[in-house]
Amino acid sequence: MTDVIMHNVTSADGFIADDHDDIGPLFDWYFNGEEPLSDDGSFRMTPQSADYVRSTWAAIGAMVIGRRLFDLMNGWDGRPPVGDHVVVVSHRPKPDGWHPEASYHFVDGVAEAVAQARHLAGDRAVSVASGEVGGQAFAAGLVNEVAMDVVPVVFGSGRRYFGSVTGQHRLEDPHVVIRGDRVLHLRYRVRRAG
C-alpha cells in the first residue's frame, strides 16, 4: 500500500506560515550548509539534513496540495518540486493555458485527490502538504505518517500545520529524529484506533 505522508516545515509552535502567508525563516536551513542538494547548487544544507531530504524526496511519486499553495507558488511553473505529479484540491479548474504539458490534476475533494495521487505515484509515496488540505486528509484517516521539519522559531499565529483539525489525534513515537542545523526532522506514524 502506498504511504501517504503529510509533510511540511513548521515553526516550533506549529505554523507553516504567518497570517500573510510569509514563511519568514522557516526555510533558511535549506541554505545554511555545505552539502549541495540540487544540481544548480541553490540548496546547500548540512550533510544530516541533505541525506534526509534527498531520501525523502526520492521516495515521493506524487504530491497533493491545496489551491492556495498552487496559487502562491504558481504551481512551481509546471515543474513539481518533488515527485512526478501534483494533484490540486480546488473547486476551480486549472488556469486556461497554464503549462498544458505539466502533470497537474485538479479535483474537488481531498479523498479524490489522495486516491488519484496514490494511483499516479505507483509504488512511491504520496506527499500531502500540511495546512487545510493536509489537515482534512489527516482527520479523514487518509494519512499514514506525519513528517515535520521543525525550525526553532515561534510565530505566535498564522497558518497552522494541521489546518483547522479539531479533537485529539494520537501519533506513535517518532521513528525518525534527525538534528540538522536550525532544524529538527521528525517522522511519526499515525496511531490507528483499535
Side-chain angles (χ1 to χ4, degrees):
M1 182 162 146
T2 302
D3 273 341
V4 177
I5 304 164
M6 184 173 160
H7 180 257
N8 213 331
V9 179
T10 183
S11 65
D13 58 342
F15 294 100
I16 58 174
D18 70 12
D19 294 314
H20 306 289
D21 292 318
D22 188 350
I23 58 169
L26 290 181
F27 288 82
D28 287 356
W29 62 273
Y30 275 97
F31 312 101
N32 70 357
E34 63 282 353
E35 180 80 21
L37 186 70
S38 54
D39 292 337
D40 65 3
S42 60
F43 294 129
R44 299 185 73 79
M45 53 189 72
T46 63
Q48 300 88 337
S49 289
D51 289 346
Y52 171 75
V53 170
R54 202 175 280 118
S55 67
T56 298
W57 287 359
I60 295 170
M63 293 177 59
V64 175
I65 66 172
R67 185 62 182 249
R68 171 187 223 101
L69 182 56
F70 174 84
D71 288 343
L72 283 170
M73 301 306 298
N74 189 31
W76 300 278
D77 294 322
R79 292 180 306 277
V82 296
D84 300 317
H85 311 277
V86 177
V87 181
V88 182
V89 179
S90 177
H91 299 297
R92 293 178 285 141
K94 184 188 309 188
D96 286 338
W98 184 87
H99 299 283
E101 76 289 352
S103 184
Y104 281 58
H105 310 270
F106 288 67
V107 298
D108 281 335
V110 171
E112 180 185 353
V114 171
Q116 185 165 2
R118 279 186 143 150
H119 172 74
L120 292 167
D123 60 355
R124 293 165 68 199
V126 170
S127 173
V128 178
S130 66
E132 287 302 322
V133 166
Q136 290 173 33
F138 178 79
L142 302 173
V143 172
N144 308 94
E145 191 172 357
V146 172
M148 303 173 119
D149 299 317
V150 182
V151 174
V153 63
V154 174
F155 275 19
S157 67
R159 307 278 177 213
R160 295 175 54 203
Y161 182 93
F162 286 97
S164 53
V165 168
T166 59
Q168 189 177 90
H169 302 268
R170 293 183 178 252
L171 305 173
E172 298 294 341
D173 287 336
H175 64 93
V176 172
V177 179
I178 299 171
R179 182 178 172 207
D181 182 15
R182 305 294 301 159
V183 64
L184 180 63
H185 308 287
L186 300 170
R187 289 181 79 151
Y188 305 86
R189 286 278 177 198
V190 175
R191 182 179 287 183
R192 300 293 179 204

